[in-house]
């Protein structure tokens, strides 16, 4: 079977090989033909940290080749998406039933592949804020992989969203996602607050500034720190966010109740929710790079250079018949 593994001597630390063993699904896993996968920023770190033949690949979409032996999950031939821990950048993968959902007809493999990590993180982070109708919500890194979904989902839930973007040329994209205001510094965000909910994947001084914009009793959710660690003190909460709380969100847990309290849905249910929102036209994955999967190292290099806005998607040959995959999109590499 063909697929990628880490190799420190190869471009972007990744080598395509045809010598991989076929997946051997456990009882609760089905065998998937992978048609598309998306990249995540953290995979750059994982590839660097595991230069030893490790096989990356977390966000995948494709078709069930063989149903799980346990008798649960989708039947052979079903179109699905899934969130894996690894091994997804290959022609076939073993997929735990609890981390997969069925695709609606209107959702393409390329769209679906963008959803697992970024969409789940946005959904679960927003859930931390409770009802959002009429709430003021601040989303940092608003045109990034997670940020683009967070802005759209918050706006769909009735929030007034202030989108923090890295540079002025990103502002138009953030408004198109449904943001009410866009800012490039958090000082500019102050007049639109205080905020009942802040979603931050940047960390560093951005998180400190964001905490100072929280309303009393509000919630800040930290899910990433692309700008490094933050310094926080109780003084930052005295600014106005008395008794506000800071949540460190790890979105990966597949079990029901892992996030969002005891009633929080599991991974499969959350993936199904995201698929429905895309099918209904209420959520649109934005992908600035779609390319053949053999160009994964080039796509990783573009991601590392911050050339990607939204998501980067790689497609395997069977998905080339998908009418939504316009070859003209393969333009950035
Ligand atoms: N906890 C979890 O479960 C979880 C899940 C998913 C992701 N994460 C983490 O969350 C972070 C974001 O992930 P992502 O996939 O959304 O990444 P991404 O697609 O690269 O988006 C990052 C966003 O932040 C902006 N940005 C980057 N550095 C910045 C800086 N120094 N100052 C201001 N803005 C900056 C980027 O702007 P440009 O457009 O200019 O690049 C982009 O909009 C990463 O650290 C990732 O590892 C955690």
């Amino acid at each position: 079977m063909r697929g990628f593994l880490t190799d420190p001597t190869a471009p972007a630390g990744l080598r395509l090989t045809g010598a991989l063993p076929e997946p051997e699904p456990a009882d609760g896993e089905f065998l998937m033909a992978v048609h598309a996968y998306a990249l995540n920023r953290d995979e750059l770190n994982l590839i660097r940290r595991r230069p030893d033949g490790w096989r990356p690949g977390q966000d995948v979409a494709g078709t069930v080749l063989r149903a799980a032996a346990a008798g649960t999950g989708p039947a052979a031939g079903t179109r699905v998406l899934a969130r894996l821990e690894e091994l997804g950048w290959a022609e076939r993968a073993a997929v735990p039933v609890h981390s997969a959902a069925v695709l609606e007809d209107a959702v393409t493999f390329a769209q679906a592949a963008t959803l697992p990590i970024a969409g789940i993180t946005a959904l679960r982070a927003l859930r931390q804020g409770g009802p959002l109708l009429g709430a003021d919500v601040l989303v940092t890194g608003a045109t990034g992989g997670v940020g683009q979904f967070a802005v759209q989902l918050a706006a769909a839930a009735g929030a007034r969203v202030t989108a923090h973007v890295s540079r002025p040329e990103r502002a138009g994209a953030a408004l198109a996602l449904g943001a009410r205001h866009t800012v490039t510094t958090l000082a500019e965000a102050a007049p639109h607050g205080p905020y009942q909910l802040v979603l931050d994947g940047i960390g560093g001084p951005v998180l400190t500034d964001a905490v100072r914009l929280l309303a009393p009793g509000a919630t800040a959710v930290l899910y990433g720190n692309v700008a490094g660690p933050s310094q926080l003190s109780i003084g930052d909460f005295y600014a106005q966010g008395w008794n506000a709380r800071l949540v460190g969100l790890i979105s990966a847990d597949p079990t029901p109740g892992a996030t969002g309290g005891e009633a929080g849905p599991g991974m499969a249910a959350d993936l199904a929710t995201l698929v429905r929102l895309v099918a209904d036209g209420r959520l649109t994955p934005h992908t600035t790079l779609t390319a053949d999967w053999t160009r994964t190292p080039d796509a990783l290099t573009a991601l590392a250079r911050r050339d990607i806005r939204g998501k980067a998607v790689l497609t395997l040959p069977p998905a080339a018949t998908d009418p939504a995959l316009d070859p003209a999109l393969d333009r950035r590499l």
Side-chain angles (χ1 to χ4, degrees), residues 39-45 58 83 116-122 140-148 164-167 169-170 184 200-203 205-206 222-228 248-253 303-312:
L39 307 184
N40 287 286
R41 177 152 297 280
D42 194 43
E43 283 167 320
L44 292 169
N45 303 326
Q58 298 178 317
R83 194 255 188 244
I117 289 187
I120 292 270
T121 302
T140 68
T143 56
V146 177
Q148 61 149 334
H164 164 262
V165 292
S166 60
R167 31 193 145 148
E169 56 271 32
R170 300 284 202 231
T184 51
D200 180 44
I202 294 177
V206 170
L222 175 66
Y223 63 85
N225 59 350
V226 289
L249 185 89
I250 313 292
S251 67
D253 201 319
L303 182 64
R305 283 199 309 249
R306 290 176 60 179
D307 282 348
I308 307 285
R309 183 168 53 74
K311 299 294 290 180

Side-chain angles (χ1 to χ4, degrees), residues 147-285:
Q148 61 149 334
F149 290 124
V151 172
Q152 292 183 70
L153 291 171
R160 287 179 302 200
V161 181
T162 297
H164 164 262
V165 292
S166 60
R167 31 193 145 148
E169 56 271 32
R170 300 284 202 231
L175 290 173
L177 293 168
R180 171 84 57 105
H181 309 286
T182 64
V183 297
T184 51
T185 66
L186 290 200
E188 296 165 63
H192 308 305
Y195 296 94
Q196 280 81 56
L197 179 65
V198 168
L199 265 52
D200 180 44
I202 294 177
V206 170
L207 176 67
T208 311
D209 291 345
V211 165
R212 299 183 74 87
L213 299 180
L214 288 171
T219 301
V221 181
L222 175 66
Y223 63 85
N225 59 350
V226 289
S230 308
Q231 277 198 332
L232 273 177
S233 77
I234 189 66
D236 299 307
F237 290 86
Y238 267 114
Q240 51 190 337
W242 290 28
N243 304 314
R245 65 188 186 121
L246 179 59
V247 176
L249 185 89
I250 313 292
S251 67
D253 201 319
T255 50
T259 58
E262 283 179 20
M267 184 72 70
D270 278 344
L271 286 173
T273 295
L274 292 165
V275 167
R276 270 198 308 276
L277 288 166
V278 174
D280 292 350
R282 283 184 288 166
L283 184 65
T284 304

Side-chain angles (χ1 to χ4, degrees), residues 28 30 201 215 268:
F30 60 82

